[in-house]
Amino acid sequence: MTFGEWQQLSPEAAAREVRRRAEAHLSAAQRRAALAILLDEPALTAGFAAAPAGSPLRGVPYLLKDLFDVAGMPTFAGSSFLPEVRPKPVGDSQFVRELRAAGAVLAGKTHLFEFAWGLTGENAHYGDCEHPRFPGRTSGGSSSGSAAAVAADIVPFAIGTDTGGSTRIPAAFCGIYGYRGAPRDAWVSDAVPLAPRFDAVGWFTRSASDMRSALAALVGIRVGERAPRGCYLDMPGLDPEVATACAAAATDLAPAADAATRSELLDKFAPSAEIYGVLSGTEAWKIHKKWADRYRGRYGPLVQDRLDRARAISQAQVAAVEPSQAALTLAWRRFFLGYDFLVMAASPFPALAKADCTPANRLRMLGLTAPASLGGLPVLSIPVALPSGMSTGLQVIVNNAQSPVIPWALGSNRS
């Protein structure tokens, strides 16, 4: 169902439909893995009834990644202990307040990779969140429950975050649209942080038109006076079917990068996974060091391993990657002097089986997503179908959230 179709329902019918879809479209185990909280029918009905008349997202139900506070609800951030060490929420986060003002109706909260510190849907505490159409394969993460809920058509809209790819990877794996905003935005300032330098709000929709509606309501859309100029960067290391599908899909958006541009970007992007690992790990350690020893047995094994690695990052390691980070930032600045956007693959492969959620494949994913994260850039994710029936995606990377490239890439004013 689209935004418009949900908006045609009465509050009572919409509330029943959210509950019905959650029970019908996900197994009991996957409801536990994907949904942290699903409001009951009376609370949902009240929420739909209270949506302001005439608001742009009036009556559109959404699910919220459990990094954002909602009054009366705990915030676990995919962990087993966060409410024990963090004050109980006394009010809604700023983004939740703005969503309510826009008319969107909170249906509940979604689970995530613990503390948002991963790109798969794995979670040792609540169960692994799987692709709704391919059981045994991950939804992607860390915004796993939000992506799975939209892909399963439980709600048409769900909120995530993106630090190193946490909307882009699940959007690609689940075959839906995703958006990553700019870091240090007020919307993410009161969410549970992973690495504040890179954390950004994001969201998912099933269709381009719904993504455009969400962007118009929340970010604002500017239409350019000319066709934007961009190029496609064919990154190394993609699975063959992904490389072929992404190159073909990109032709609707931009030509391939010229040799000089390609050489410059590939050179500066090459160390991005390493740079991101060091810089984000240092920031994440600052968040977790006060809990790391006391709650050592309460972290899941994947996050515990990342925590131990982050603890060991030295100032010498940080200093060693800073020149590469500065060079990458400069490369982005130079690129945007001549271009309006860059198109890249969003994932090097389709949704992974559990056994393939390895450190090596994590680095392959970060090799594609970390360049935009390190540049602090907004990204639109567009799904790309694969011959296997699975999916990947394209990243459309821009230099500001209100770039007219985004509505253009969604099909508006583009021949």
Side-chain angles (χ1 to χ4, degrees):
M1 288 175 62
T2 65
F3 283 13
E5 289 169 329
W6 280 98
Q7 290 174 317
Q8 296 303 310
L9 299 179
S10 69
E12 294 80 9
R16 286 195 301 271
E17 190 64 13
V18 170
R19 297 285 307 186
R20 185 194 72 79
R21 285 168 176 264
E23 293 180 7
H25 295 188
L26 293 176
S27 68
Q30 282 305 298
R31 285 198 299 275
R32 182 176 184 272
L35 305 178
I37 297 170
L38 185 65
L39 295 181
D40 61 25
E41 201 168 309
L44 283 167
T45 300
F48 282 109
S55 51
L57 300 180
R58 181 201 55 79
V60 175
Y62 76 95
L63 286 163
L64 180 72
K65 188 175 184 177
D66 192 26
L67 293 176
F68 297 88
D69 288 336
V70 176
M73 296 184 189
T75 301
F76 277 90
S79 78
S80 67
F81 67 84
L82 188 63
E84 299 170 32
V85 298
R86 186 171 177 264
K88 183 178 180 180
V90 295
D92 298 335
S93 68
Q94 179 173 333
F95 195 35
V96 171
R97 296 195 303 271
E98 295 200 19
L99 286 162
R100 183 183 298 113
V105 179
L106 178 69
K109 286 190 167 191
T110 56
H111 282 312
L112 55 140
F113 194 108
E114 185 179 2
F115 287 112
W117 209 344
L119 293 174
T120 57
E122 298 166 285
N123 188 295
H125 309 298
Y126 306 105
D128 295 345
C129 188
E130 297 181 343
H131 193 300
R133 292 189 295 110
F134 296 95
R137 292 183 178 268
T138 182
S139 61
S142 66
S143 306
S144 48
S146 292
V150 170
D153 204 16
I154 296 169
V155 291
F157 183 41
I159 305 304
T161 60
D162 188 310
T163 305
S166 291
T167 59
R168 289 166 282 166
I169 291 295
F173 282 0
C174 289
I176 57 180
Y177 289 81
Y179 173 73
R180 164 197 156 89
R184 301 191 185 278
D185 188 278
W187 286 345
V188 77
S189 63
D190 56 2
V192 178
L194 171 61
R197 179 175 176 178
F198 306 113
D199 293 344
V201 161
W203 55 76
F204 304 97
T205 69
R206 283 173 62 87
S207 72
S209 60
D210 283 350
M211 177 58 75
R212 180 179 170 84
S213 294
L215 288 163
L218 297 171
V219 178
I221 283 179
R222 291 190 299 114
V223 177
E225 297 179 355
R226 58 172 176 81
R229 182 170 186 246
C231 62
Y232 173 66
L233 182 64
D234 58 321
M235 293 289 286
L238 307 181
D239 281 5
E241 69 167 352
V242 170
T244 300
C246 284
T251 60
D252 288 339
L253 296 167
D258 62 78
T261 300
R262 182 177 188 274
S263 176
E264 166 76 358
L265 293 180
L266 290 181
D267 178 64
K268 299 306 186 292
F269 289 178
S272 59
E274 177 189 2
I275 300 168
Y276 176 81
V278 171
L279 297 182
S280 66
T282 300
E283 293 217 338
W285 173 247
K286 291 176 184 176
I287 303 296
H288 287 269
K289 64 181 179 181
K290 57 185 176 292
W291 308 323
D293 293 326
R294 182 180 175 188
Y295 290 91
R296 184 172 183 84
R298 302 281 296 277
Y299 287 95
L302 292 172
V303 172
Q304 185 62 64
D305 179 67
R306 273 160 214 171
L307 193 60
D308 290 342
R309 291 173 183 271
R311 183 200 299 256
I313 294 171
S314 67
Q315 283 304 116
Q317 287 175 280
V318 173
V321 301
E322 284 178 341
S324 295
Q325 165 65 1
L328 188 151
T329 300
L330 181 59
W332 276 122
R333 289 176 182 165
R334 287 174 175 165
F335 176 81
F336 284 113
L337 290 175
Y339 290 94
D340 301 301
F341 67 100
L342 180 69
V343 183
M344 293 170 54
S347 71
F349 32 65
L352 294 169
K354 172 77 170 178
D356 295 322
C357 295
T358 61
N361 278 334
R362 172 178 164 80
L363 289 176
R364 288 179 68 190
M365 290 186 278
L366 283 172
L368 297 178
T369 58
S373 292
L374 294 168
L377 300 171
V379 186
L380 173 70
S381 300
I382 297 175
V384 175
L386 297 174
S388 62
M390 302 183 75
S391 62
T392 183
L394 289 176
Q395 302 178 79
V396 180
I397 304 168
V398 295
N399 62 355
N400 73 83
Q402 291 186 317
S403 169
V405 169
I406 292 179
W408 176 87
L410 288 167
S412 174
N413 300 321
R414 178 160 58 91
S415 59

